[in-house]
């Protein structure tokens, strides 16, 4: 049964979401059902806000995407941004473009996945706008709170910092490559496909990082590690060296990647959509193993910050050349990493 | 020259917007250029947030729309929502779907109009996401601040309240009807067309209303007066009577409406997109003339609140029947007013 069927019109959809979203708690004084949402921001907290959009036939196809995962992912990518600022999620707004002929199960699945992710992350949907559109698209705005003045910035890396990353990188790009080759069903492939379809960003780690005094810059790995570290390098006015042999790859990545002619290291460096956290920490910071215990996630030390500009890839301490052709493999536009 | 030309890719667009948007001031600690924006909310203020979307071929056509006005309108409709909550705008986020073949002047015009509106309203663009899309769409999230606990709610109307509206109603719907009839160029038509293309919501009035202790509910007139008052009636658990002869019409509306076979009163009651404020005030509130002086805008008293439900239209104190056919004239779905 289509819980959110559009037959009842735009207002019916909002009313259905309102019922399913449930009563708003926390600092929200007003949620769905007024001209705007109202949040009481606690003393000593800064408000963090971010917006991300997903578009049919650009970021996904309903033919190959499970709508429920897509709804969860639409919010997950925002949670990842909040985590990268060190913020705890508090709520979200949804703008949704919906074709008149959208199958009920696509809309229902999307909203059910979004609301389930919202509950799991304690990030309630507090308002939105649903509009007609020739294609399906969703724009999610998410809000978070961070201790006053303690947001993790891209501009906070300093020469001498060490560079860390959570989890493993490249799984999402390999998962996508598997799907595009008509694979993804074998037991060692499924976890990679899941990372692509239903990323689970370690956004809670961001707030833990923000509490530490030895952490510098942070960013979520969404465009690809090299591209994202290049943002940090630019905003901080520094250069970043990455030891490619230390970049953590998913279990069995080489074996699976070989089946689709992919290189797991390229996937990790340029693939994107990992939604892990990359951060710099001062020289005095503890080891990756100790950070890992303190933060509750796998952490790897992959590089360092020095004066200069841009990102340099090193293998055994020597600069690595990146054949331009490799970039196309995962459809990462070259311009991204150059910035 | 296309200042925001997409040729440079997504990052080029963001960089160009960042330069044009200028340095972020006020309570913003971080604007465009990080994973998310960071706002320091002053003590004693609640945060108000709202999202609205515009879609090509649904809400506008570039063939008949001037892109600069459209960009301004995309933000204006959000400012209207903030005003309806009694909030002062502080910033906005933009998610933008852009076709690969969008003419440079459309994109430039849209962004220039948006940024001009943002400057005029002191509501800086602090972040966003630009994505490829088969059609052009924009989703604007706007933030405002209101004194703690003083947001104007749809649920705050009480039996005995009097009902007021700012400005005049129906201009936008008449302007649209003129455009659709291939008219709109004569001197008495142009102001109506302008109200449709480039609405100027009196959002500053909202903050003034929020300071008063004799104001009840408020809403912005976006769906049409009757539909919007129906929202207030439902959320407040009351009935609202509207004296149709007291609804303020634009100057010359009857004469212009006759040219396109429209009824100015229907436009005022059901047309929508007026972006004026409707509000209720206690019996003790001053006259419309006095409120007008205090608020700095034209204010008309158009009805009253009583126990019950729904919106009732009265002429000379007697209920007016609304022929169903009239609803279609301005394309207002009947379902809207029934809710």
């Amino acid at each position: 049964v289509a819980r959110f069927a559009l037959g009842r019109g735009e207002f019916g959809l909002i009313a259905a979401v309102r019922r399913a979203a449930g009563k708003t708690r926390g600092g929200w004084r007003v949620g769905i059902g007024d001209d705007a949402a109202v949040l009481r921001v606690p003393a000593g907290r800064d408000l963090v806000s971010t917006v991300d959009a997903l578009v049919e036939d650009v970021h996904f196809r309903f033919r190959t995407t499970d709508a429920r995962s897509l709804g969860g992912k639409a919010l997950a990518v925002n949670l990842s941004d909040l985590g990268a600022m060190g913020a705890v999620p508090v709520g979200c707004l949804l703008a949704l473009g919906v074709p008149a002929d959208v199958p009920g199960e696509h809309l229902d699945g999307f909203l059910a996945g979004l609301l389930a992710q919202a509950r799991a992350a304690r990030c309630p949907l507090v308002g939105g706008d649903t509009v007609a559109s020739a294609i399906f698209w969703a724009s999610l705005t998410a809000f978070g709170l961070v201790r006053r003045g303690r947001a993790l910035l891209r501009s906070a890396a300093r020469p001498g910092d060490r560079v860390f990353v959570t989890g493993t990188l490249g799984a999402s790009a390999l998962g996508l490559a598997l799907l595009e080759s008509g694979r993804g069903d074998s037991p060692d492939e499924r976890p990679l496909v899941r990372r692509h379809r239903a990323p689970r960003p370690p956004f809670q780690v961001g707030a833990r990082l923000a509490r530490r005094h030895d952490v510098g810059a942070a960013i979520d790995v969404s465009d690809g590690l090299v591209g994202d570290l290049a943002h940090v390098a630019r905003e901080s006015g520094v250069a970043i060296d990455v030891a490619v042999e230390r970049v953590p790859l998913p279990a069995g990545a080489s074996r699976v990647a070989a089946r689709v002619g992919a290189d797991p290291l390229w996937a990790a460096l340029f693939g994107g959509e990992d939604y892990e956290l990359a951060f710099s920490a001062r020289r005095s910071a503890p080891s990756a193993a100790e950070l890992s215990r303190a933060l509750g996630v796998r952490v790897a030390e992959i590089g360092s910050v020095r004066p200069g500009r841009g990102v340099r890839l090193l293998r055994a301490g020597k600069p690595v050349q990146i054949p331009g052709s490799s970039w196309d493999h995962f459809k990462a536009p070259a311009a991204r990493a150059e910035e």
Side-chain angles (χ1 to χ4, degrees), chain A:
Chain A
V1 180
R3 291 166 67 203
F4 304 110
L6 272 184
R8 285 164 291 171
E10 182 191 335
F11 289 86
L13 178 65
I14 290 176
V17 171
R18 184 179 183 179
R19 281 190 300 273
K23 214 160 161 54
T24 304
R25 286 162 309 201
W28 293 97
R29 291 300 182 264
V30 178
I32 296 174
D34 214 307
D35 293 297
V38 181
L39 177 68
R40 173 105 5 122
V41 175
R45 292 287 181 281
D46 284 341
L47 179 91
V48 177
S49 59
T50 180
V51 65
D52 265 297
L54 283 174
V55 181
E56 187 176 3
D57 293 334
V58 174
H59 301 97
F60 70 93
R61 286 182 175 79
F62 276 120
R63 191 167 43 74
T64 55
T65 306
D66 126 61
R68 196 183 159 93
S69 297
L70 186 71
K73 186 171 176 174
L75 180 53
V77 301
N78 282 278
L79 296 174
S80 185
D81 279 321
L82 293 179
M85 301 300 286
V88 175
V90 289
C92 60
L93 298 172
L94 169 69
L96 196 63
V98 187
D101 61 351
V102 71
E105 66 268 28
H106 288 174
L107 184 61
D108 277 12
F110 180 87
L111 290 169
L114 173 61
L115 293 173
Q117 178 74 270
R119 273 190 300 274
R122 297 185 181 186
C123 185
L125 184 68
V126 295
D129 191 19
T130 56
V131 292
S133 173
I135 51 165
F136 189 100
W137 56 265
S139 163
L140 251 292
T141 304
F143 305 103
L145 297 175
V146 65
R147 284 206 240 179
R148 197 162 172 155
R150 298 301 298 272
L152 301 171
L153 306 184
R154 293 181 178 181
S155 56
R158 290 189 215 149
D161 278 5
R162 294 143 61 200
V163 177
F164 299 85
V165 69
T166 63
T168 62
L169 300 180
S172 176
L174 291 175
L176 177 59
L178 287 167
L179 288 174
E180 290 184 342
S181 307
R183 306 187 64 108
D185 285 333
S186 55
D188 59 353
E189 295 173 350
R190 263 183 251 138
L192 301 174
V193 169
R194 208 178 305 129
R195 288 278 302 270
H196 176 70
R197 282 193 172 146
R200 300 179 62 181
F203 62 87
Q204 304 91 337
V205 172
R208 291 175 206 144
L209 285 174
R211 264 183 238 120
R212 300 185 64 97
H213 290 268
D214 52 9
V215 168
I219 193 167
D220 71 321
V221 184
S222 54
D223 295 332
L225 178 67
V226 174
D228 289 313
L229 290 180
H231 292 315
V232 171
R234 187 182 59 244
E235 298 295 332
S236 295
V238 298
I240 295 177
D241 285 348
V242 174
V244 297
E245 67 273 30
R246 302 173 79 173
V247 172
L249 305 180
S254 301
R255 189 177 61 239
V256 173
R259 287 178 211 150
V260 290
D263 178 342
L265 182 59
W266 293 123
L269 294 175
F270 305 111
E273 294 213 272
D274 295 300
Y275 302 111
E276 295 291 346
L277 288 172
F279 59 96
S280 82
R282 308 307 176 208
R283 274 199 194 90
S284 60
S287 69
E290 282 175 78
L291 278 174
S292 195
R293 276 191 293 276
L295 298 173
V297 287
R298 178 175 171 168
V299 174
E301 183 169 350
I302 60 167
S304 57
V305 179
R306 61 182 169 84
R309 51 186 295 181
V311 174
R312 191 169 60 165
L313 300 180
L314 306 172
R315 192 191 301 272
K318 298 218 170 60
V320 185
Q321 286 303 317
I322 304 164
S325 62
S326 311
W327 287 83
D328 300 321
H329 189 75
F330 295 108
K331 304 193 177 73
R336 293 198 164 187
E338 283 165 8
E339 288 215 18

